[in-house]
Amino acid sequence: DAGITQSPRHKVTETGTPVTLRCHQTENHRYMYWYRQDPGHGLRLIHYSYGVKDTDKGEVSDGYSVSRSKTEDFLLTLESATSSQTSVYFCAIRSDSLNTEAFFGQGTRLTVV
Amino acid sequence: KNEVEQSPQNLTAQEGEFITINCSYSVGISALHWLQQHPGGGIVSLFMLSSGKKKHGRLIATINIQEKHSSLHITASHPRDSAVYICAVNRNTGNQFYFGTGTSLTVIP
């Protein structure tokens, strides 16, 4: 299995609080992605990174920020959590080579109450 | 309209049946992926295709680039195949993946 771990795996938080999810990889892959998965929508890209300190927005980036200060860690922050951000969040990694597989973390189930 | 469409959305089969899940896409791609997600579980990559056909055990994936269509076949289905199967594509521009909404498969003993 590819070395990718997400933490925490489950979190319940209150509306208005900041939340940070962590994705850690041991594969030295260049690309890292954060997705959210909601019923009827499939996986939607929040942000992705193509290198240390290099990030770009996805289709559902509002209310989220990311940081990548080291190759192995990609952090997703909900600046002020809202109930609409209740979701399952997946991190994925991909190497620099063209047409390579993506490897996914186990997911983080976040509930905002 | 989503760039990647899957059918059917839901599928129930008897153990032993041959199963086909379809994926159509509307953009130019460099590769297509089939992913598997068990209930409450993570996402696992089954296949990556850019042409032709690949086989792994009872799973077979095919792609027709001209028709922008791929199929995932499961032979001799088993209850442990029950999962959501997701089609995803790499566009031939950019670094992102685009996902279908998944096909939920239930195999009944």
Side-chain angles (χ1 to χ4, degrees):
Chain A
D1 288 345
I4 176 171
T5 55
Q6 291 183 230
S7 59
R9 293 291 313 280
H10 302 271
K11 186 169 182 67
V12 180
T13 193
E14 293 187 349
T15 298
T17 60
V19 177
T20 295
L21 309 183
R22 180 184 185 227
C23 178
H24 178 77
Q25 60 145 331
T26 57
E27 304 296 320
N28 201 36
H29 283 351
R30 179 182 177 189
Y31 293 96
M32 299 186 76
Y33 304 83
W34 276 109
Y35 296 95
R36 59 179 289 173
Q37 186 180 43
D38 304 290
H41 287 280
L43 287 154
R44 293 183 292 173
L45 181 65
I46 304 171
H47 284 276
Y48 72 100
S49 170
Y50 47 97
V52 172
K53 294 194 168 74
D54 291 323
T55 64
D56 206 353
K57 294 180 179 180
E59 64 181 304
V60 290
S61 60
D62 286 349
Y64 301 94
S65 62
V66 289
S67 67
R68 190 166 178 202
S69 58
K70 308 186 277 188
T71 298
E72 56 265 36
D73 287 324
F74 191 34
L75 304 180
L76 176 71
T77 297
L78 288 65
E79 293 138 11
S80 177
T82 68
S83 59
S84 66
Q85 293 175 312
T86 293
S87 188
V88 180
Y89 292 85
F90 284 95
C91 175
I93 62 174
R94 184 174 70 87
S95 77
D96 197 14
S97 302
L98 188 64
N99 293 341
T100 56
E101 289 180 79
F103 298 97
F104 290 82
Q106 287 297 101
T108 296
R109 184 172 295 276
L110 176 68
T111 303
V112 183
V113 298
Chain B
K1 186 181 183 299
N2 199 4
E3 290 92 345
V4 181
E5 299 282 353
Q6 286 184 238
S7 63
Q9 283 192 311
N10 297 285
L11 181 57
T12 300
Q14 290 291 132
E15 183 173 357
E17 285 186 7
F18 180 83
I19 288 163
T20 296
I21 299 170
N22 296 299
C23 175
S24 296
Y25 53 92
S26 57
V27 295
I29 70 167
S30 57
L32 181 142
H33 305 255
W34 282 103
L35 311 170
Q36 180 191 56
Q37 184 178 25
H38 281 102
I43 298 169
V44 175
S45 176
L46 297 174
F47 295 103
M48 184 183 70
L49 295 160
S50 53
S51 64
K53 177 178 172 178
K54 286 189 176 180
K55 184 175 188 291
H56 185 255
R58 295 179 294 105
L59 301 178
I60 303 165
T62 64
I63 188 168
N64 185 317
I65 296 292
Q66 286 72 32
E67 295 185 3
K68 295 186 174 177
H69 181 268
S70 175
S71 294
L72 176 68
H73 305 287
I74 305 175
T75 62
S77 59
H78 190 276
R80 65 175 175 267
D81 297 325
S82 298
V84 174
Y85 292 84
I86 301 169
C87 175
V89 301
N90 293 120
R91 293 186 68 166
N92 51 17
T93 56
N95 300 307
Q96 299 180 28
F97 295 87
Y98 294 85
F99 297 86
T101 54
T103 295
S104 179
L105 171 66
T106 302
V107 181
I108 300 169

